[in-house]
DNA sequence: CGAGGTGTTGAATAGAATCAACTCATGTGG
DNA sequence: CCACATGAGTTGATTCTATTCAACACCTCG
């Protein structure tokens, strides 16, 4: 019954192994997790403004988080892939702030926040993991922001593609290929670009033989080249901070 | 001995009142909080890559969180104002990911994370508040992202000014005036704009009589006009304090 | 006083958005 | 089964926005 490619984030918070979290915690999480069946593309998981009840994890498929600006135009705020959580902003606001929509056939699981909190009350390890999870989300959010602000369309999309590749492959997907769950328009929106620009950049990448792309199927031909284009995320662990500027 | 304008975020996490947090928790926080003396503009609080030890709160002054991209160019990721926390991304990475610098004469307080966690182990209310804090940071980060992506320079700067105004006034500062702690270049960088563009937009705002601006002193003349320009953040039930993270 | 950072302004350029047309694949109903 | 509608993706021409390069005014600080 289980799809091989299924990821159960709600039972292993933030990719924590059972050793980290403990079997007892996993058991408790299993007890409170609500496993939703797969829904069709276009299905809304929750809407902005609805009362916050649970945080969600993606098991199969993909989710987009969107907002509508003044003109009713849709703006993509984030994509959520298998193993990732969403809806965490609701904790602060008591209401969901984004609307979330399945991009393809998608299954999610829900962790009712009150119950999750109760479980955490008894398990310090879960508490620590929750903090790590939230901190990680802040980090990704900032990476995204830094990668978009003040950079060209090429750089943004190169970053996005590499980012999606890495996140997809975390679930065991092949490293050299990528099936995009979103349209060019959605991809562009999340990068602050018009759909046409997105399409043109894809063409440019093809011409420069960085990727092969037929529709939503991407094949990476020159990862180094893409990385050179993308905004480098200089996360610690390497390279000393360059102190001498001019 | 206390400066009137001082805010002590480390003693009242995320603008929580003593009633929310409880006097005992406040007392415990006071015991672990490290109150740093004021430092001059340009002082680094921590550098990207340093081992994570504590989260910080701004008491007086202002902080910028920056990253360096490939070319050594500085990119502003966030500003932190009195009452706000920064350094939270370190929780996930065990290292700070941004470098943080005082923009003016600034005093911060540190909450050593391990100790904070220990205190939280004994106080569910503090745990809840911590989760709210982190969630709020994710929310702000997303707001920022949504406000920047795919919008004009006018819209971005209008948003930024209104945002700064609100966050400043939370500490009791006047609502109609604003003393910017950062340069045009820094403001622009955080919005993904060149310094010249920032300057020009300021001129435009002056001409349209939306603001008065002499140097870093801003006076708001037409808030409604600015809001019309800025990207509207349509948050449903919005309530409490805002927080930002490095 | 001069130095250097900050802010402003102008002219030229490059980059992305917009408007528009067209292809293609898919799906629908007649 | 085919005519047609639909949405996604591409491509071209044009317009507009923001960057870049450059020069200069201003202020503070040594």
């Amino acid at each position: 019954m289980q799809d091989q490619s299924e990821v159960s984030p709600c039972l292993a918070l933030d990719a924590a192994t059972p050793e980290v979290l403990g079997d007892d915690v996993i058991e408790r999480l299993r007890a409170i997790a609500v496993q939703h069946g797969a829904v069709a593309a276009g299905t809304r998981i929750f809407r902005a403004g609805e009362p916050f009840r649970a945080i969600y994890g993606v098991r199969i498929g993909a989710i987009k988080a969107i907002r509508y600006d003044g003109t009713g135009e849709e703006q993509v705020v984030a994509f959520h892939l298998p193993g990732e959580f969403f809806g965490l902003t609701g904790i602060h606001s008591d209401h969901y702030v984004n609307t979330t929509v399945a991009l393809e056939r998608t299954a999610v699981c829900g962790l009712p926040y009150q119950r999750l909190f109760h479980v955490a009350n008894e398990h310090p390890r879960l508490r620590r993991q929750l903090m790590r999870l939230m901190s990680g989300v802040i980090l990704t959010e900032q990476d995204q922001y830094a990668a978009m602000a003040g950079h060209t369309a090429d750089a943004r999309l190169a970053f996005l593609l590499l980012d999606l590749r890495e996140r997809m492959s975390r679930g065991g997907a092949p490293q050299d290929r990528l099936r995009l769950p979103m349209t060019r328009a959605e991809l562009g929106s999340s990068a602050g670009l018009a759909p046409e620009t997105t399409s043109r950049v894809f063409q440019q990448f093809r011409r420069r033989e960085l990727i092969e792309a037929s529709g939503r199927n991407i094949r990476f031909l020159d990862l180094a080249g893409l990385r050179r284009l993308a905004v480098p995320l200089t996360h610690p662990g390497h390279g000393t901070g360059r102190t001498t500027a001019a």
Side-chain angles (χ1 to χ4, degrees), chain A:
Chain A
M1 292 308 172
Q2 285 255 119
D3 187 312
Q4 268 197 332
S5 66
E6 176 159 351
V7 184
S8 274
C10 289
L11 304 186
L13 245 117
D14 194 29
T17 55
E19 297 89 62
V20 172
L21 224 43
D23 287 332
D24 47 344
V25 175
I26 300 281
E27 189 48 48
R28 294 291 308 272
L29 288 177
R30 189 189 309 276
I32 66 168
V34 182
Q35 305 289 337
H36 296 274
V39 298
T43 308
R44 283 168 189 73
I45 309 301
F46 53 75
R47 285 181 170 79
E50 286 179 5
F52 171 68
R53 247 188 278 275
I55 66 177
Y56 289 90
V58 181
R59 287 158 55 205
I60 313 169
I63 295 281
K64 66 173 173 181
I66 58 177
R67 297 187 183 186
Y68 299 95
D69 67 9
T71 69
E73 207 66 21
E74 176 179 315
Q75 154 88 32
V76 174
V77 175
F79 298 113
H80 304 292
L81 304 182
E84 301 175 351
F85 285 88
F86 61 99
L88 289 107
T89 43
I91 297 174
H92 178 91
S93 314
D94 289 325
H95 295 265
Y96 295 110
V97 292
N98 300 323
T99 296
T100 49
V101 184
L103 288 168
E104 54 188 18
R105 191 173 162 75
T106 295
V108 302
C109 49
L111 285 176
Y113 184 65
Q114 290 312 325
R115 294 192 190 181
L116 177 61
F117 199 81
H118 286 318
V119 177
N121 271 339
E122 300 164 26
H123 296 280
R125 275 180 303 191
L126 177 56
R127 291 205 282 278
R128 194 171 283 274
Q129 201 57 27
L130 274 174
M131 292 294 282
R132 279 180 52 83
L133 170 65
M134 308 270 292
S135 169
V137 173
I138 297 171
L139 182 56
T140 343
E141 217 72 53
Q142 273 189 9
D143 287 351
Q144 194 90 358
Y145 184 74
M148 299 301 123
H151 296 103
T152 61
D154 313 2
R156 298 187 197 189
L157 285 177
F159 173 86
L160 264 187
L161 286 181
L162 290 171
D163 184 52
L164 288 172
R165 167 178 175 272
E166 192 194 320
R167 289 158 63 192
M168 289 292 224
S169 69
R170 221 171 267 156
Q175 297 268 339
D176 62 330
R177 221 161 315 186
L178 183 53
R179 162 120 191 121
L180 295 176
M182 71 292 283
T183 66
R184 299 281 190 274
E186 289 162 339
L187 201 60
S189 170
S190 91
L193 299 173
E196 296 95 328
T197 306
T198 311
S199 189
R200 276 184 251 269
V201 172
F202 265 76
Q203 280 309 80
Q204 187 204 322
F205 285 177
R206 272 190 273 245
R207 259 184 285 112
R208 296 168 69 174
E209 299 189 344
L210 298 168
I211 61 170
E212 258 175 31
S214 68
R216 301 194 184 175
N217 289 308
I218 309 290
R219 231 172 66 85
F220 292 96
L221 301 178
D222 183 1
L223 279 173
L226 269 183
R227 289 211 186 85
R228 238 173 289 127
L229 255 157
V231 186
L233 283 189
T234 43
H235 277 176
H238 60 77
T240 53
R242 45 177 71 243
T243 40
T244 46

